[in-house]
């Protein structure tokens, strides 16, 4: 701990500086020296120095100890707080945005909550994409007081009971000795600040409920259950913290004719017995147009035909899936007398053929039962 600079000097504040002044000075310097921003060789050391100074001067107990005894080896801690000065810079964000554990600065900026929005879209909208506006209710910082909750022109006072820490120590003398408990400050409710004159727009909450219109671009090829993240479109942060994110969960309606599996489209086309037997050229609806499909003579029911590239655009990558057409031969249920007679003739004429197929089927079945 040789040549350690005075913490007040590091932050550039005087001994009597308020908690607010300490915090302001720290934020300014932390941003200035943060290694992500400042590429100077000594930025990292400067940043650590600033952080260490702030960790002491922002904590009433540590600050009092420091004022009395000066620098103490951080490895020995300050008896209770146990700040870890050797930690990386990552936790600057914990401090700013309210991650991490332990004692938190109740006045530190806090990231807003994430929001989730469920959106139901049509089958074809999922295939081709869609742009739309949605309106979501969300909590935003009050414009009148910029989130402070204090009437414009005034600012919240630092709570005099807890000096802005939001916590109170309660010392109890028990038969087992002195016990020190920490609890949320009762004067300020743990906020560390007291608003004397409330902002009338938000009634001192610093936040207001708003309906917000957001433009959403749904990419072509999304599937049911897909989730879009819209950065910074969640709820507003507290005390200048960043807004949360908005997650849009996509629900895709089913289609009366098409079914989808990943990038491929499936559909079923009914064929008459005559079409299946004699062959035909039929029109198949695809997602974009109608295409002609040649059905060869003697097509069996349940046969699949593939229409290449007529499926869904790939969300990641290029190209499209295919469309698979399953043909189903439909047995007629209502026949006129004439049709019935023609079918009888047909059965008679083709008796041999039908018999042939049936014969081979029964032969195979017999073999299967005999086991040879
Ligand atoms: Zn307000
Ligand atoms: Zn308080």
């Amino acid at each position: 701990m040789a040549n350690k600079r005075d913490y007040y000097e590091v932050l550039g504040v005087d001994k009597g500086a308020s908690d607010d002044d300490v915090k302001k000075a720290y934020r300014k310097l932390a941003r200035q020296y943060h290694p992500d921003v400042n590429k100077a060789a000594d930025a990292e050391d400067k940043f650590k120095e600033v952080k260490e100074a702030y960790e002491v001067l922002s904590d009433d107990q540590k600050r009092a100890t420091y004022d009395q005894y000066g620098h103490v080896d951080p490895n020995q801690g300050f008896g209770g707080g146990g700040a870890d000065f050797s930690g990386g810079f990552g936790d600057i964000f914990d401090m700013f945005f309210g991650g991490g554990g332990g004692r938190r600065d109740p006045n530190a900026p806090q990231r807003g909550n994430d929001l989730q929005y469920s959106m139901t879209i049509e089958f074809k909208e999922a295939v081709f994409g869609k742009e739309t506006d949605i309106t979501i209710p969300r909590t935003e910082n009050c414009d009148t007081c910029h989130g402070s909750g204090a009437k414009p022109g005034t600012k919240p006072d630092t709570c005099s009971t807890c000096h802005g820490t939001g916590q109170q120590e309660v010392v109890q003398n028990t038969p087992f000795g002195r016990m020190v408990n920490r609890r949320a400050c009762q004067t300020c409710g743990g906020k560390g600040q007291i608003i004397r004159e409330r902002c009338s727009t938000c009634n001192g909450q610093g936040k207001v409920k708003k309906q917000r219109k957001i433009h959403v671009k749904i990419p072509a090829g999304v599937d049911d259950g897909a989730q879009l993240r819209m950065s910074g479109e969640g709820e507003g942060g507290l005390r200048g913290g960043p807004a949360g994110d908005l997650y849009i969960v996509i629900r895709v309606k089913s289609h009366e004719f098409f079914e989808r599996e990943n990038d491929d489209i499936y559909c079923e086309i009914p064929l008459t017995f005559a079409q299946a037997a004699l062959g035909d050229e039929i029109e198949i609806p695809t997602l974009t147009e109608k295409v002609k499909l040649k059905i060869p003579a003697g097509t069996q029911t349940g046969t699949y035909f593939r229409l290449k590239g007529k499926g869904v655009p790939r969300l990641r990558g290029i190209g499209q899936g295919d469309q698979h057409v399953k043909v189903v031969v439909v047995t007629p249920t209502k026949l006129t007398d004439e049709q019935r007679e023609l079918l009888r003739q047909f059965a008679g004429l083709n008796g041999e053929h039908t018999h042939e197929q049936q014969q081979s089927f029964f032969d195979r079945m017999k073999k299967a039962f005999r086991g040879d």
Side-chain angles (χ1 to χ4, degrees):
M1 291 296 119
N3 294 330
K4 234 175 189 308
R5 279 168 77 203
D6 178 66
Y7 286 148
Y8 292 97
E9 195 187 307
V10 170
L11 293 183
V13 295
D14 56 44
K15 288 235 183 229
S18 70
D19 291 357
D20 246 349
D21 292 340
V22 168
K23 195 187 297 165
K24 268 187 207 147
Y26 167 60
R27 288 214 188 121
K28 190 166 158 261
L29 292 166
R31 291 205 167 108
Q32 186 180 336
Y33 291 120
H34 195 285
D36 284 352
V37 182
N38 194 325
K39 299 297 176 201
D42 63 349
E44 186 176 317
D45 289 336
K46 283 253 173 59
F47 178 79
K48 279 184 178 164
E49 190 182 35
V50 165
K51 188 165 176 269
E52 181 181 325
Y54 176 70
E55 281 179 349
V56 173
L57 297 188
S58 62
D59 183 303
D60 284 358
Q61 209 183 343
K62 289 180 195 167
R63 185 170 172 178
T65 311
Y66 177 72
D67 286 345
Q68 202 173 350
Y69 302 109
H71 288 299
V72 176
D73 184 346
N75 294 324
Q76 287 168 14
F78 289 86
D84 176 15
F85 295 139
S86 57
F89 339 99
D91 49 5
I92 185 181
F93 293 109
D94 294 344
M95 295 181 66
F96 276 166
F97 305 138
R103 291 180 70 186
R104 246 183 233 171
D105 182 348
N107 300 317
Q110 205 182 318
R111 186 178 178 275
N113 289 328
D114 291 337
L115 291 177
Q116 200 186 64
Y117 182 92
S118 175
M119 183 190 262
T120 303
I121 59 174
E122 298 295 333
F123 188 88
K124 285 196 177 182
E125 291 173 338
V127 172
F128 298 113
K130 184 191 186 181
E131 287 195 33
T132 185
D133 289 324
I134 57 171
T135 307
I136 54 159
R138 68 175 186 186
T139 309
E140 291 181 17
N141 279 338
C142 171
D143 287 337
T144 311
C145 61
H146 303 290
S148 75
K151 190 175 158 185
T154 72
K155 53 177 201 181
D157 294 338
T158 301
C159 172
S160 56
T161 308
C162 63
H163 306 287
T165 62
Q167 301 211 7
Q168 258 180 325
E169 284 185 357
V170 184
V171 180
Q172 280 178 300
N173 288 309
T174 72
F176 310 106
R178 266 160 62 93
M179 304 237 312
V180 181
N181 283 314
R182 287 211 179 98
R183 65 173 186 206
C185 171
Q186 293 189 314
T187 310
C188 62
K191 292 191 176 76
Q193 293 185 326
I194 290 178
I195 296 168
R196 304 247 176 250
E197 290 183 85
R198 290 179 176 185
C199 163
S200 56
T201 309
C202 62
N203 197 26
Q205 298 302 304
K207 290 179 153 201
V208 285
K209 279 262 173 214
K210 277 190 185 169
Q211 297 285 332
R212 179 156 170 111
K213 209 181 199 185
I214 293 171
H215 190 69
V216 184
K217 275 188 191 168
I218 297 165
V222 290
D223 210 344
D224 189 55
Q227 194 166 257
L228 307 179
R229 187 175 76 111
M230 302 198 65
S231 179
E233 297 288 4
E235 301 220 309
L238 273 181
R239 296 174 291 273
D245 297 333
L246 170 66
Y247 288 89
I248 298 174
V249 181
I250 305 288
R251 293 282 161 221
V252 182
K253 283 193 199 169
S254 57
H255 193 275
E256 55 176 339
F257 181 67
F258 297 118
E259 268 183 51
R260 177 171 166 186
E261 204 182 302
N262 301 322
D263 299 325
D264 287 345
I265 293 288
Y266 290 81
C267 70
E268 262 184 33
I269 298 283
L271 287 184
T272 65
F273 172 67
Q275 283 176 308
L278 302 173
D280 198 1
E281 192 175 67
I282 57 172
E283 271 196 338
I284 308 286
T286 70
L287 292 164
T288 46
E289 60 195 331
K290 282 186 175 169
V291 298
K292 292 215 154 57
L293 176 67
K294 221 171 140 56
I295 304 291
T299 293
Q300 299 298 319
T301 190
T303 304
Y304 280 93
F305 295 91
R306 187 165 72 129
L307 302 173
K308 213 171 177 317
K310 295 293 179 193
V312 181
R314 297 204 167 89
L315 192 59
R316 288 178 192 85
I318 40 168
Q320 293 178 289
D322 302 325
Q323 179 167 339
H324 303 270
V325 180
K326 182 187 182 186
V327 296
V328 179
V329 177
V330 180
T331 308
T333 50
K334 284 178 192 157
L335 296 172
T336 62
D337 287 346
E338 196 186 352
Q339 285 171 327
R340 204 172 284 126
E341 184 48 37
L342 283 168
L343 275 175
R344 278 200 194 99
Q345 286 181 26
F346 168 78
L349 280 172
N350 291 274
E352 228 170 287
H353 181 61
T354 311
H355 189 72
E356 220 171 72
Q357 282 186 345
Q358 283 185 335
Q359 194 59 53
S360 86
F361 172 75
F362 286 121
D363 284 350
R364 273 186 288 139
M365 205 170 71
K366 271 183 211 156
K367 271 187 187 172
F369 281 111
R370 280 204 312 265
D372 52 45

